[in-house]
């Protein structure tokens, strides 16, 4: 048996979490999850069956059977990794541990892209798209995120004592507007833009994208060209319409950019202009009868636009939404962050260059939120066509046969008590600071605090190594700008029901964020409208 030869603890499961049909259907079999209570380890496999099971399990299973174990399923042997050093090595060796096609093929619905390609194709996509994420882009992200956040929080304040239940929806709109501005050169006001149906369309940009993202697994089963067939259920035909609408939106964006003309020396180059320049190189090569290895086809442009919409807006929006709810549950951390905001700019946050590097507590809130409520709970990889050798925490060799699935358990890595302490399950942004050598032990004295760097492989919300997310800085700048803008003048609180205490309100907020699950491929709250938030001005 191959799994036994690998030499790791084994969990045998009759289902595979990598199976697209099971991913779509597992919620219809709640009795399977109940089997996890069986004694003598007989129900261990049931803990690993749901999509995103690691969010609920945290580090528990690894505490019981080890930092690495083999999950044996009908589809494959899956190595589940919660060893930081092994995780770091897997991400660092991109040629030895590649992205498995079975997990990423659905992201090719509009075309191959940076997330899905390997080898020379990946180098080409990376070279053409990554330079757009530069300091000029960061400055633009900062200003646009500030503008959108001011409008968003103002709309919440206007709701008065009834508050708002649209935190998740509004942060999604904000993040999408920041992306369309900094990434695609399209600037909108918070209340308009992607939330309005454009001329000649039947769906909004936001709604068509949202439907595509929330049904991403469906594309692994049903090719998009069949989704509009008349005999399909209404839900699938609606998805087909969303695919068609979003395709048209992307084609219109591409046509506008081409009409403006790609300008290599533009003062504000964005992702779209970089993609168009790459496409023009491909077109010019074909005109002289050559196959370009430098440019991008139009289909690859559309694939990258879709990928950046996924990675560049949904994940950041989720992080902002979770952070705001958690800050409402822990008002003491609002005061802690606001103290820094006041010190940095006397209650008026200014430009990116001078302020972003100094707003470390805002960044700590982001990191702590990503640690416990990051959008991705697993990072899938697969051994290449050759056997791969790893060394576990005990110093023992682990030899993986070719094409073995390797799933980095991000949630377990982020909650390991050995790395994060006995309170690893608690949301505590101050854990990201330690006293400097000459520091004052007072938490309020920022000059005595140093931002920590976690051990390699222990904190990987953007992955790591050569394939680290190129939009990491983009997301950080956006988050810090939004948080600083919101907390600069406002305090966020839960709307309490009649007779409800503040402590009960806090617990209701924590229950709302803990009641989360993987939808499509990202972590989201199951009931994000359950508790309303109210904005009050700072007196």
């Amino acid at each position: 048996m191959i799994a036994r030869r690998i030499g790791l603890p084994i969990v045998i499961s009759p289902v595979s979490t990598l199976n697209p049909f099971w991913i779509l259907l597992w919620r219809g079999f709640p009795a399977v999850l109940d089997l996890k209570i069986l004694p003598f380890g007989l129900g261990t496999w049931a803990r690993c069956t749901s999509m995103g099971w690691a969010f609920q399990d945290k580090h528990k299973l690894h505490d019981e059977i080890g930092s690495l174990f083999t999950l044996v399923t009908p589809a494959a042997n899956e190595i589940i990794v919660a060893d930081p050093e092994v995780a770091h090595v897997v991400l660092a060796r991109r040629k030895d541990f590649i992205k498995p096609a079975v997990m990423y093929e659905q992201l090719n619905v509009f075309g191959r892209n940076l997330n899905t390609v390997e080898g020379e194709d990946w180098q080409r996509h990376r070279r053409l798209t990554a330079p757009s994420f530069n300091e000029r882009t960061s400055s633009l992200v900062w200003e646009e995120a500030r503008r959108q956040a001011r409008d968003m929080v103002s709309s919440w304040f206007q709701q008065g004592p009834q508050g708002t239940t649209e935190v998740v929806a509004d942060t999604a709109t904000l993040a999408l507007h920041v992306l369309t501005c900094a990434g695609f050169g399209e600037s909108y006001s918070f209340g308009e833009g992607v939330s309005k149906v454009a001329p000649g369309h039947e769906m909004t940009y936001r709604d068509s994208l949202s439907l595509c993202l929330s049904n991403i697994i469906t594309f692994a089963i049903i090719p998009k060209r069949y989704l509009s067939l008349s005999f399909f259920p209404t839900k699938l035909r609606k998805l087909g319409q969303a695919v068609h609408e979003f395709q048209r939106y992307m084609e219109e964006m591409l046509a506008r950019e081409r009409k403006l003309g790609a300008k290599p020396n533009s003062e504000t180059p964005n992702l779209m202009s970089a993609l168009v320049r790459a496409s023009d190189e491909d077109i010019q090569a074909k005109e002289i009868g050559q196959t370009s290895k430098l440019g991008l086809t139009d289909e690859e442009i559309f694939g990258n636009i879709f990928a950046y919409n996924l990675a560049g807006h949904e994940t950041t929006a989720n992080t902002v939404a979770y952070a705001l709810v958690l800050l409402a549950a822990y008002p003491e951390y609002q005061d802690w962050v606001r103290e820094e905001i006041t010190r940095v700019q006397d209650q008026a946050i200014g430009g990116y260059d001078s302020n972003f590097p100094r707003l470390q507590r805002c960044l700590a809130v982001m990191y702590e939120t990503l640690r416990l409520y990051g959008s991705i709970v697993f990072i899938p990889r697969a051994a290449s066509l050759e056997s791969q050798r790893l060394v576990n925490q005990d110093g023992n060799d682990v030899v993986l046969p070719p094409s073995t699935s390797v799933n980095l358990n991000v949630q377990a890595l982020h909650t390991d008590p050995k790395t994060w302490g006995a309170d690893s399950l608690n949301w505590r942004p101050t854990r990201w600071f330690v006293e400097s050598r000459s520091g004052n032990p007072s938490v309020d004295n920022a000059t005595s605090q140093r931002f920590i760097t976690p051990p390699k492989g222990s904190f990987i919300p953007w992955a790591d190594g050569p394939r680290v997310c190129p939009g990491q800085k983009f997301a950080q700048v956006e988050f810090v700008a939004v948080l600083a803008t919101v907390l600069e003048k406002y305090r966020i609180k839960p709307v309490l029901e009649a007779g409800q205490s503040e402590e009960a309100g806090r617990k209701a907020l924590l229950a709302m964020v803990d009641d989360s699950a993987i939808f499509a491929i990202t972590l989201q709250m199951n009931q994000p409208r359950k508790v309303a938030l109210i904005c009050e001005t700072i007196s």
Side-chain angles (χ1 to χ4, degrees):
M1 187 177 182
I2 295 176
R4 295 196 183 281
R5 288 203 297 269
I6 293 174
L8 297 173
I10 293 175
V11 174
I12 301 176
S13 172
V15 297
S16 171
T17 56
L18 301 180
N19 186 305
F21 289 98
W22 180 250
I23 291 172
L24 289 175
L25 300 175
W26 72 266
R27 288 183 176 85
F29 300 90
V32 172
L33 301 182
D34 294 337
L35 296 176
K36 64 185 179 183
I37 65 173
L38 292 175
F40 310 117
L42 296 176
T44 299
W45 67 270
R47 294 164 63 176
C48 310
T49 56
S50 63
M51 183 65 172
W53 60 268
F55 176 73
Q56 300 298 333
D57 202 83
K58 311 299 185 189
H59 200 269
K60 295 176 187 175
L61 189 52
H62 290 282
D63 286 335
E64 296 169 16
I65 63 177
S67 60
L68 281 77
F69 66 88
T70 303
L71 181 63
V72 179
T73 76
N77 293 324
E78 304 171 24
I79 310 302
I80 312 300
V81 176
D83 181 329
E85 293 184 8
V86 172
H88 173 69
V89 168
V90 168
L91 293 174
R93 289 161 53 184
R94 71 170 181 86
K95 294 183 179 180
D96 295 334
F97 295 95
I98 61 176
K99 290 191 172 186
V102 67
M103 292 295 292
Y104 287 90
E105 181 58 34
Q106 58 264 33
L107 296 182
N108 286 329
V109 59
F110 294 102
R112 288 160 60 81
N113 57 77
L114 182 63
N115 276 336
T116 62
V117 293
E118 291 287 345
E120 292 183 1
D121 275 348
W122 173 78
Q123 293 176 332
R124 174 171 57 93
H125 281 253
R126 178 83 174 196
R127 183 179 66 250
L128 295 170
T129 59
S132 297
F133 294 97
N134 52 39
E135 288 300 284
R136 285 182 292 185
T137 299
S138 294
S139 181
L140 181 57
V141 169
W142 177 271
E143 296 301 329
E144 184 64 14
R146 290 265 292 150
R147 184 173 74 89
Q148 295 288 333
R150 280 192 292 267
D151 291 346
M152 180 183 72
V153 76
S154 177
S155 71
W156 292 353
F157 178 71
Q158 292 171 16
Q159 298 296 316
Q162 71 182 28
T164 180
T165 57
E166 300 302 314
V167 173
V168 170
D170 286 349
T171 54
T173 297
L174 179 151
L176 196 50
H177 281 172
V178 173
L179 178 64
T180 57
C181 177
F184 309 132
E186 300 284 342
S187 182
Y188 303 108
S189 64
F190 176 75
E192 302 290 335
V194 295
S195 59
K196 298 291 184 181
V197 178
H201 286 267
E202 297 179 1
M203 298 177 71
T204 68
Y205 183 96
R206 182 182 66 184
D207 290 346
S208 61
L209 172 63
S210 178
L211 265 177
C212 290
L213 293 177
S214 61
N215 290 278
I216 193 73
I217 302 300
T218 303
F219 298 129
I221 301 173
I222 306 174
K224 66 177 182 178
R225 63 181 179 276
Y226 297 134
L227 290 171
S228 299
L229 294 177
S230 58
F231 57 81
F232 270 178
T234 301
K235 183 178 179 180
L236 288 178
R237 285 188 280 113
K238 189 73 171 179
L239 176 58
Q241 181 189 13
V243 170
H244 175 70
E245 288 282 309
F246 190 68
Q247 178 77 36
R248 287 184 56 213
Y249 275 115
M250 292 192 294
E251 289 171 354
E252 291 164 1
M253 292 165 58
L254 180 57
R256 282 195 298 270
E257 185 64 35
R258 282 202 169 118
K259 187 175 180 180
L260 290 173
K263 301 177 181 179
N265 296 321
S266 172
E267 289 298 315
T268 56
N270 55 47
L271 175 62
M272 195 65 183
S273 62
L275 294 176
V276 169
R277 287 197 297 272
S279 174
D280 289 345
E281 290 178 1
D282 183 76
I283 292 172
Q284 292 168 7
K286 288 179 178 178
E287 287 176 349
I288 60 175
Q290 295 181 352
T291 300
S292 173
K293 295 184 178 181
L294 299 176
L296 295 174
T297 66
D298 283 4
E299 186 179 53
E300 288 174 326
I301 287 182
F302 298 142
N304 279 290
I305 291 175
F306 179 67
Y308 278 107
N309 271 283
L310 168 62
H313 111 268
E314 184 173 74
T315 55
T316 304
N318 286 348
T319 307
V320 173
Y322 273 104
L324 291 174
V325 174
L326 289 162
L327 285 166
Y330 295 104
E332 63 271 26
Y333 288 121
Q334 290 189 56
D335 296 336
W336 178 69
V337 172
R338 192 175 297 107
E339 192 275 338
E340 176 184 69
I341 296 170
T342 302
R343 181 173 59 248
V344 168
Q345 195 73 359
D346 190 27
Q347 298 185 353
I349 301 302
Y352 159 75
D353 291 335
S354 60
N355 290 288
F356 171 73
R358 300 166 63 195
L359 291 169
Q360 294 288 285
R361 294 182 184 180
C362 292
L363 193 62
V365 169
M366 182 188 199
Y367 278 29
E368 185 70 350
T369 303
L370 286 169
R371 188 179 70 83
L372 292 178
Y373 302 96
S375 291
I376 305 300
V377 298
F378 271 106
I379 296 178
R381 291 290 188 267
S384 67
L385 297 179
E386 298 179 356
S387 297
Q388 299 299 329
R389 175 180 172 273
L390 295 169
V391 180
N392 65 14
Q393 286 180 329
D394 299 326
N396 298 321
D397 283 356
V398 178
V399 179
L400 305 183
S403 302
T404 301
S405 295
V406 180
N407 288 334
L408 308 184
N409 190 339
V410 176
Q411 191 69 203
L413 289 163
H414 288 186
T415 55
D416 187 348
K418 294 179 181 177
T419 303
W420 304 101
D423 67 342
S424 63
L425 299 182
N426 296 341
W427 189 77
R428 182 170 62 84
T430 51
R431 77 172 70 247
W432 291 90
F433 292 94
V434 295
E435 295 178 25
S436 61
R437 295 179 181 176
S438 59
N440 185 313
S442 170
V443 172
D444 294 327
N445 183 357
T447 60
S448 69
Q449 301 292 303
R450 176 175 57 82
F451 206 94
I452 69 167
T453 300
K456 291 180 179 180
S458 64
F459 183 66
I460 50 174
W462 293 284
D464 198 358
R467 297 200 70 149
V468 67
C469 175
Q472 176 178 343
K473 181 69 174 292
F474 187 112
Q476 292 172 345
V477 172
E478 180 179 345
F479 182 97
V480 170
V482 171
L483 193 63
T485 302
V486 171
L487 296 185
E488 181 183 10
K489 296 181 180 178
Y490 295 93
R491 178 178 290 107
I492 308 169
K493 299 168 58 177
V495 175
L496 302 178
E497 299 177 359
Q500 188 179 35
S501 67
E502 290 186 0
E503 178 61 18
R506 183 181 73 85
K507 290 182 178 179
L509 289 175
L510 295 179
M512 187 169 75
V513 296
D514 286 336
D515 179 23
S516 296
I518 295 293
F519 287 85
I521 57 176
T522 58
L523 185 74
Q524 298 177 31
M525 298 178 222
N526 285 316
Q527 301 182 71
R529 295 182 174 88
K530 190 171 184 179
V531 182
L533 297 185
I534 183 173
C535 281
E536 298 178 344
T537 55
I538 303 298
S539 57

